[in-house]
Structure formats: structure tokens, C-alpha cells
Amino acid sequence: MITVYAPLGMLGYGFPMRSLKAALEHGFDVIALDAGSVDPGPYYLGTGKSFTSRTMVKRDLKLIVEAGQTAHVPILIGTACGSGATPHLDWAMRILDEIVEELDIHPKVARIDAELDKQEVIQAFRNGKIENFETRDRLSEQDIDDCIHIVAQMGIQPYMKALEGGADIIVGGRAYDAAVIAAYPIWKGEDPGLSYHMGKIIECGTAVALPRESDGMLGVIDGDSFIVTPADPEKICKP
């Protein structure tokens, strides 16, 4: 049996202390959360800026790091600070460095980059190794050349490799949201289908609960089933 704590649906959106305390009382094996979204559009990817405020990202992340230290569990973060390109990852790591120094702790930190070299992408295009997917127009070499940042969406494998290496905190670039949740259970031998299914349900936090404001979820996977429940006992999930 593996319990995943997803403290909120988007790093920097905020979450209440009462749910964090309730989650710690419940117990969990890993903290996993998404820190990005495509919802704001491509602007933030292109500019290398975060659409969440530094103050709120640091507030949320500090609470999460403290919880990880208290529970002695690893922390997995995906799509660092909005879009998961190298500037976003740099920004996230600077904030994490400040937190680690302020808390006077020494965790083993893994950084996983997701940005691709433009020339490698162009070469892949010329070699016919790029397929169009859910796009209105066919990709052109000019489209690639016009891009400022190009990110590849990673799955569970880089996170599992970092866990194998003993990482306490893993900060990834662009990642599939459900993979960040599913990586630890699959690494521990739980069913991949169930792990991804549970991951997709709880990666947006209490968007699947009532009331819907930003908050955390607990996912418990055991054998051939899983249960999701809000960390805050004042919230509910309904069929």
C-alpha cells in the first residue's frame, strides 16, 4: 500500500495549513505535485517567466519541504514554475536553495531538465523523426526556428532514476502531470494503470472535491484499487 500526498493542484496557488496538518496526521509515503500548466498559453514558455508569484511559490514550497522533512519522505515536483523550460527550472532551484538555507537542512536534490536544443529538433525534423500531433497545420522548419524555448514532456522514468539515486527532492522541467504522482507507486511495484489513473485524478488537488478551492488530496493505492480523499476533513469527494 502506497499513500501519495498531492498538497495542491499548482505550486504557488496556496493551500491551507489545516490540510497539511491533517495529511501529516494521516501519514503518507511521498509528496508529489504539479507546478505548471498549459492553460495560460505559450507566452510564459517563450518569455521564460512564471505565471505564479515568487512570494507564493516560496511560501508553498517551504511548507512542502518542511513537511517532507517531518515525514521523512521524498518530494517530486513536475513542470517547474509554470512551463518547465530551463529558465523556469533555474528560478525554482534558486527558490529551493533559499529555503534549504533558511531551514538549515541538507537534502539530496535532483534537477531534471526538459528543454531541447533547437538544432537537434531541426535535425530530427529533417530526418523525418517528428510527427504532427493534434495540430491544425503541419509543422515546418520555420516553426521550430521561431521557437525560443522547446520542452519535451517527460514521464515517470527520470523520476524513478532520481529515486533510485536516493534523491530527497526532485525538481523536474516539463512533465506529464499524472506521471509525477504515478512515479513513486510504480517504482514501489504498484500497478502502472492504477497509478496513472489515480495520478490524473489528484494532480489538480481538490478540483475533484468540494469545496474546490486550492487544497490537497491523498491517494491510497493498494493492489487492485485506489481511494482518493481530500486531506482536509472538511472537504468531500462524491461519485
Side-chain angles (χ1 to χ4, degrees):
M1 181 172 71
I2 298 293
T3 301
V4 180
Y5 173 42
L8 73 171
M10 171 72 201
L11 184 67
Y13 279 9
F15 63 101
M17 281 297 299
R18 66 177 181 274
S19 67
L20 177 59
K21 292 177 181 177
L24 285 166
E25 290 174 4
H26 180 281
F28 45 82
D29 300 292
V30 62
I31 300 173
L33 64 147
D34 188 35
S37 176
V38 297
D39 294 347
Y43 171 83
Y44 295 96
L45 174 61
T47 59
K49 296 179 180 179
S50 174
F51 58 83
T52 47
S53 77
R54 193 182 198 282
T55 299
M56 283 303 298
V57 168
K58 184 174 180 178
R59 179 263 185 193
D60 288 350
L61 187 55
K62 189 170 185 177
L63 290 173
I64 290 164
V65 170
E66 287 177 315
Q69 291 286 301
T70 298
H72 304 291
V73 302
I75 300 167
L76 282 63
I77 301 170
T79 312
C81 296
S83 302
T86 297
H88 304 93
L89 199 52
D90 290 342
W91 193 71
M93 296 305 293
R94 287 194 294 271
I95 295 172
L96 179 60
D97 287 344
E98 288 179 14
I99 292 168
V100 166
E101 184 175 350
E102 290 170 8
L103 296 177
D104 193 23
I105 57 176
H106 306 282
K108 188 173 184 179
V109 178
R111 167 183 173 144
I112 309 174
D113 282 81
E115 186 157 348
L116 299 179
D117 179 83
K118 187 188 297 187
Q119 293 307 313
E120 290 184 6
V121 178
I122 289 174
Q123 192 59 52
F125 177 80
R126 290 173 179 172
N127 294 338
K129 294 183 177 180
I130 296 180
E131 295 182 22
N132 287 304
F133 179 69
E134 294 184 353
T135 54
R136 186 187 65 185
D137 300 316
R138 295 194 64 80
L139 184 69
S140 70
E141 187 170 319
Q142 187 63 50
D143 293 330
I144 300 170
D145 195 54
D146 288 343
C147 289
I148 299 172
H149 299 291
I150 302 174
V151 289
Q153 180 176 260
M154 71 182 78
I156 62 173
Q157 292 83 358
Y159 286 94
M160 292 173 68
K161 185 175 181 179
L163 288 167
E164 288 285 355
D168 301 306
I169 302 173
I170 306 168
V171 186
R174 181 74 179 98
Y176 175 42
D177 43 18
V180 180
I181 308 290
Y184 187 89
I186 294 173
W187 181 58
K188 285 294 186 178
E190 295 292 348
D191 180 78
L194 287 175
S195 300
Y196 276 115
H197 190 175
M198 185 180 79
K200 193 57 187 171
I201 291 174
I202 68 173
E203 59 87 11
C204 272
T206 47
V208 294
L210 296 172
R212 295 189 189 279
E213 68 262 14
S214 181
D215 208 336
M217 293 289 295
L218 291 162
V220 182
I221 183 168
D222 187 11
D224 62 356
S225 65
F226 63 84
I227 296 173
V228 298
T229 185
D232 186 343
E234 297 300 312
K235 292 181 170 61
I236 62 167
C237 285
K238 300 197 301 182

